[in-house]
Structure formats: structure tokens, C-alpha cells
Amino acid sequence: MTAAPTAGAAPVSGLDPFSEAFLSDPYPAHAQLREAGPVVRLERYGIWGMARHVPVHSALNDWETYRSSAGVGLADFTRETPFRPPSLLLEADPPEHTRARKTITGVLSPTRVKSLRDTFEREAEALVDRLLERGSFDAVDDFAHAFPNRVFPEAVGVPEAGREHLMAYGNLVFNAFGPRNRIFEESARDADEVRAWIAQACQRENLSDGGLGADIHAHAPECGMSGEEAALLVRSLLSAGVDTTVHGLGNAIFCFATHPEQWAALHADPSRARAAFEEVVRFESPVQTFFRTTTRDVDVEGVRIPAGEKVLLFLAAANRDPRHWERPDAFDISRRATGHVGFGSGIHACLGQMLARLEAEVLLGVLARRVASIELAGEPQLKLNNTLRGLASLPVTVRPAVA
Amino acid sequence: VPGVVYVSPDGGRAAVELSAGTTVKDGALDHGIDGIVAECGGNAMCATCHVYVDAAWIERLAERSEVEDELLDSTACPRTDTSRLACQIRMSDALDGLVVHLPEEQE
């Protein structure tokens, strides 16, 4: 006979997941948090953390217990004023969330995403042509920024003037999920101008016909959404669609430059580009964390979390949990990486994930066909962000494939 | 334990036991059955876990959600009346013996 399990106390950790030391090298800290238990108390902020794959995946798939409408950052919207008018998707629960999500899925169907492939291929070929002429370049500015910042705003139909604000806005929004630390304050310096531009760009009259943004406005009334709500849904695309992809592509080149045998494998078979990107998202997840808020007392593998508490889900730690992955710290494009939570999971799973995959598949595929090797040509510089993991600079030298 | 039979395009059959509550997508991935990609991880977003449910079984499944219905318009192989997404079919004792046919391609 076994005693009925009683909910015990969580192990306590003094780690600060938003400190520059943690953000600069999160993986040893992730391992500590995973090993401490299924749920950890992070006393620095009076919050809870989960870093193992099973509890993170379960929490993401249980929106009734782990709600998003109290904010998916550190701020508790029931007590604090949100940093911006809340997202109708990310910071919402059903039933409101359901209508909003349906508006987007109706526009961003896999078929619609696939229709963008030819344009992406052309742009990717042109970009790789230019980079091969140079030989040495910054894989962040000249590659990872250059491609999504061209094809994504074009696909959405955003005005051309002022597109540089897109990166600044994403950086700001993802920083705002953390505390008001120095990293946040720096990104908030030109916030007013950036936010004003974004708000304008989301209005129907400023979005070009036939783009994803105009289609959201067109589709919104069928789903019971007002014009103002449609503009907020376009804002979701713009917040979530640029920095994340840029970091995903930058991280990809970092992974390959530091694992030349993996580039050799991809160069030998560029059709593996899509699977390779999946492994990049698992191994160097652009989105590292998201918060949820408990709606009730909940027992997680013997640990009780009370109602109304903030829970920090370490997506990137779950993506390297040895309980789920073999050789989790090995970057290996031949593994089946699907099932990672780099795009989240459940009703809040990234709505742009098919678009992100297409961008990466096309660009990495073209690069893999035409580039035999990628070498670091200088020290990579991190771009610290409270939520995102990515680089500010990544000098590389590429050697063209022998034609 | 309820079982599912996966029939590959060449007619090969693989029978797998799945605990109630797991999905037909999980069954394929956990048992190394080719033909289900499930790129999005089972979130009804990618339409790469398309299956043709055997005609004898289709009426016994829960109705498609609107999201699943929309996604089935994006499958790589043509949609038919028996098309479903394997990530949306949750096993129960009532489905013991379910037969699904895998399409030629998913992407």
C-alpha cells in the first residue's frame, strides 16, 4: 500500500532568469532548474518555474488551469496595468481567444503559406548571390535580418517607409515580458515613436491589397471582430513575426558555423533544410520562455501551486530535457526534432510557425546548395532580450560550392 | 488497451496498441510508423498528419472541429469524405480496432 500523495513544497532557487549572466548562458541554469524538480520556486520574483518537458508541455496544453489573460510576462494584469493594450491572441483565453485565433487561421492556412514559396525562393537566391560575391559578411545584419525584413512585411503588406521599426517593436514587446531591468529600459528608449508607427501600420488603409494584413481585416467581420480588433490582430503578426524569425535564422548560422559537420551534411542534402531548422529551434530556441497564471490550486507531480500565481515556462529548457531527448545538448539535424515546444503548444501555439518554417527552409535550402562551408570570422555578439535568444552580430566567411 | 491499424499506401499493415486518451498521431510517431509528419507537434496547424479513416469507422469518430475542417483543405494528398487529422483523433475503448490509411505524401 502506498500513502496518498500529499502536495509538498517546491525546491527553492535563487536564480534570476532575467539577469544578464543567466540570459548570456542559460543552459547550465536550465539544467539546474530541471534537476531541482518538476516545479521550482523562483524566490527572486516570487514566481514558479517549470523546466522539464512534461510539465511545460502539459501546462501549455491546459489553458483552463494556466491562463494567458493575466499576461504571459512577469506582470500580473489583474494587479498591474498592461504594458500595451493586451493582445487578443497571446494575452487572451477562450472564448474571446477562439474568435481571434480563427480570424488568423482562416488567413494563414498552410495553402496560403505555401503560395509564398516562389517569391521567397527568388528573394533568397538574390540575397545569397550578393553574399557570395562578398564572401565575408555579418550573418545577423546581412542574412538573418535581411531576408525576413524583406519578405515578411511584403507578405503582410506593411508600408515600406519605417519598416526598421518592426525589429525595434518586437525587441520591445519581448523584453516587456520580463522585469523592468536595464535590458528592457534600453529597448524602450524610442518606444513612443515605434509604437505609433506600428499602430498606424496595422490600419486597413495603410495595408496593401492582397496582403495578409488586408485579408485579416477582410476576414475579421465573419469572425465577429471589429475593425479595431482586426488592427490588433495585425499587430500580433508584426510583434511575433520578425524578431523571432531573425533570431531563428541567426541562430541557425551560429549552430552551423560551430558544427561544421552538420553544415556538410546539409550541403550534401539541401532537402533536409526544413528538418534542420526544426533542430535549430529545439537547440537554440528563439523564444526561451513564456509565463502563465494559475486559475486554481494545482498539483504538479506532488508540488502544490496556489491559484493566481505566475508560472514561468522555460521552453528552451524543455527542449533540452534529457527525460525527453536523447543527447539533448547535441546539435544534430538528422534527429526528429518535432515535438519541441519552441513554437509553444496547445491553443496558443505560434500561428506563424508554418510561415517561419517556409522562410527558413527556403533560405537555408538555397544557402546549402550554394555554400560549401561557413566559418566564424570573429567573435559572435549576443543580443540580450528578456525572452528571446539571438545574436547582435555574427561575422562569417563562406566558401562557395564548386559549380 | 485499444488498438489502431495503420495501412501504408503499399498496403502494409501495422497494428499498434494505444492507451486511451493518446492520439492516432502519437501512436504513429511513438511506434516509428512512417507516413505521419506532424510538423506542428499535434496542434492542428500544419495538416501533415492527414489520414484516410477506413469507411467502416468514419461515422464512429467525433465530428471534425472547424479548425480541422479548414486545415483539411490544405493537405498534400487530396481530401476525401474520410479525411481526418491524426492529431485530432483521440483513442478510446470504443475505437478499438480503428483502421486508418496513410496518404502517399504529407508535405
Side-chain angles (χ1 to χ4, degrees):
Chain A
M1 234 182 103
T2 52
T6 48
V12 175
S13 169
L15 285 169
D16 176 358
F18 303 105
S19 70
E20 295 184 16
F22 188 112
L23 295 170
S24 299
D25 184 21
Y27 300 115
H30 286 169
Q32 272 183 46
L33 293 168
R34 272 194 310 261
E35 294 319 305
V39 180
V40 180
R41 182 79 176 152
L42 297 163
E43 59 180 2
R44 171 81 171 71
Y45 297 102
I47 58 174
W48 309 76
M50 296 180 184
R52 294 182 184 173
H53 189 273
V54 166
V56 167
H57 187 264
S58 303
L60 289 169
N61 280 279
D62 182 2
W63 58 266
E64 286 165 300
T65 306
Y66 299 93
R67 70 174 175 137
S68 292
S69 57
V72 296
L74 181 61
D76 183 343
F77 291 180
T78 64
R79 290 195 289 258
E80 294 162 70
T81 309
F83 156 77
R84 55 172 189 167
S87 161
L88 302 176
L89 285 161
L90 191 68
E91 294 153 335
D93 302 318
E96 294 80 8
H97 170 268
T98 313
R99 289 187 300 139
R101 184 174 172 97
K102 197 174 160 325
T103 312
I104 303 277
T105 54
V107 170
L108 217 53
S109 70
T111 304
R112 174 68 182 274
V113 171
K114 281 178 201 163
S115 76
L116 298 167
R117 179 183 286 271
D118 288 349
T119 310
F120 287 8
E121 293 271 4
R122 260 196 320 277
E123 292 290 345
E125 292 283 358
L127 175 61
V128 173
D129 277 343
R130 293 196 296 276
L131 295 176
L132 275 171
E133 258 172 46
R134 293 168 57 184
S136 294
F137 54 89
D138 188 321
V140 172
D141 277 349
D142 305 329
F143 175 84
H145 271 239
F147 185 73
N149 275 294
R150 178 152 178 97
V151 302
F152 182 77
E154 205 59 41
V156 178
V158 170
E160 224 159 299
R163 283 182 184 175
E164 68 280 3
H165 292 315
L166 288 167
M167 276 300 289
Y169 187 65
N171 191 40
L172 173 63
V173 167
F174 282 99
N175 269 327
F177 296 131
R180 298 295 171 259
N181 53 13
R182 191 188 64 83
I183 302 172
F184 168 81
E185 295 300 343
E186 267 184 24
S187 68
R189 243 183 283 149
D190 303 319
D192 290 345
E193 187 192 337
V194 170
R195 293 164 71 160
W197 185 87
I198 292 285
Q200 278 306 308
C202 296
Q203 302 302 318
R204 172 62 189 92
E205 63 271 24
N206 296 325
L207 291 159
S208 56
D209 293 344
L212 297 168
D215 284 3
I216 288 172
H217 277 277
H219 192 52
E222 293 168 37
C223 301
M225 309 295 282
S226 69
E228 206 175 314
E229 288 174 316
L232 276 179
L233 292 177
V234 177
R235 192 192 69 176
S236 290
L237 244 62
L238 301 184
S239 325
V242 184
D243 292 55
T244 48
T245 317
V246 168
H247 285 324
L249 291 169
N251 292 354
I253 300 305
F254 175 76
C255 288
F256 285 115
T258 50
H259 298 80
E261 78 293 347
Q262 296 296 315
W263 184 257
L266 184 58
H267 177 57
D269 181 5
S271 75
R272 294 163 74 181
R274 198 169 172 101
F277 182 64
E278 213 64 43
E279 172 66 347
V280 170
V281 176
R282 182 197 72 82
F283 185 74
E284 288 284 7
S285 310
V287 179
Q288 295 268 300
T289 49
F290 266 126
F291 283 85
R292 293 290 187 266
T293 307
T294 51
T295 57
R296 59 178 177 87
D297 294 355
V298 55
D299 292 336
V300 182
E301 298 179 42
V303 177
R304 163 74 52 94
I305 308 176
E309 293 283 302
K310 281 277 167 181
V311 182
L312 180 52
L313 306 177
F314 290 91
L315 310 177
N319 288 341
R320 290 187 181 213
D321 183 357
R323 293 160 194 78
H324 186 86
W325 307 95
E326 283 173 32
R327 299 162 49 247
D329 294 319
F331 174 65
D332 178 1
I333 66 166
S334 70
R335 80 162 77 228
R336 186 198 279 273
T338 52
H340 67 74
V341 290
F343 289 112
S345 186
I347 65 167
H348 292 284
C350 173
L351 282 167
Q353 57 180 285
M354 300 305 284
L355 187 55
R357 286 191 178 96
L358 182 66
E359 287 181 48
E361 177 197 350
V362 166
L363 185 58
L364 293 176
V366 169
L367 198 70
R369 280 198 296 281
R370 303 190 46 194
V371 166
S373 72
I374 304 173
E375 280 172 37
L376 289 181
E379 194 61 32
Q381 302 297 323
L382 282 169
K383 180 175 178 101
L384 294 188
N385 181 288
N386 283 328
T387 303
L388 302 175
R389 180 162 175 80
L391 296 164
S393 162
L394 178 61
V396 294
T397 300
V398 297
R399 190 162 52 81
V402 182
Chain B
V1 185
V4 181
V5 178
Y6 297 89
V7 184
S8 63
D10 65 9
R13 295 168 80 87
V16 161
E17 290 194 336
L18 281 183
S19 51
T22 56
T23 66
V24 170
K25 177 274 291 181
D26 293 326
L29 295 191
D30 294 349
H31 293 87
I33 291 163
D34 289 338
I36 297 283
V37 176
E39 197 168 53
C40 76
N43 292 298
M45 300 210 52
C46 67
T48 64
C49 66
H50 178 206
V51 294
Y52 300 109
V53 173
D54 199 85
W57 286 92
I58 190 73
E59 296 296 332
R60 289 152 82 170
L61 301 185
E63 290 268 308
R64 296 180 182 97
S65 69
E66 241 178 297
V67 169
E68 181 182 352
D69 192 50
E70 277 179 7
L71 274 170
L72 285 167
D73 291 333
S74 290
T75 53
C77 282
R79 170 186 190 154
T80 72
D81 289 344
T82 66
S83 286
R84 294 296 304 257
L85 295 182
C87 73
Q88 301 300 302
I89 308 175
R90 220 163 262 287
M91 285 309 287
S92 63
D93 289 335
L95 292 181
D96 184 25
L98 175 68
V99 178
V100 297
H101 300 263
L102 298 164
E104 291 279 350
E105 57 181 349
Q106 295 282 10
E107 292 170 284

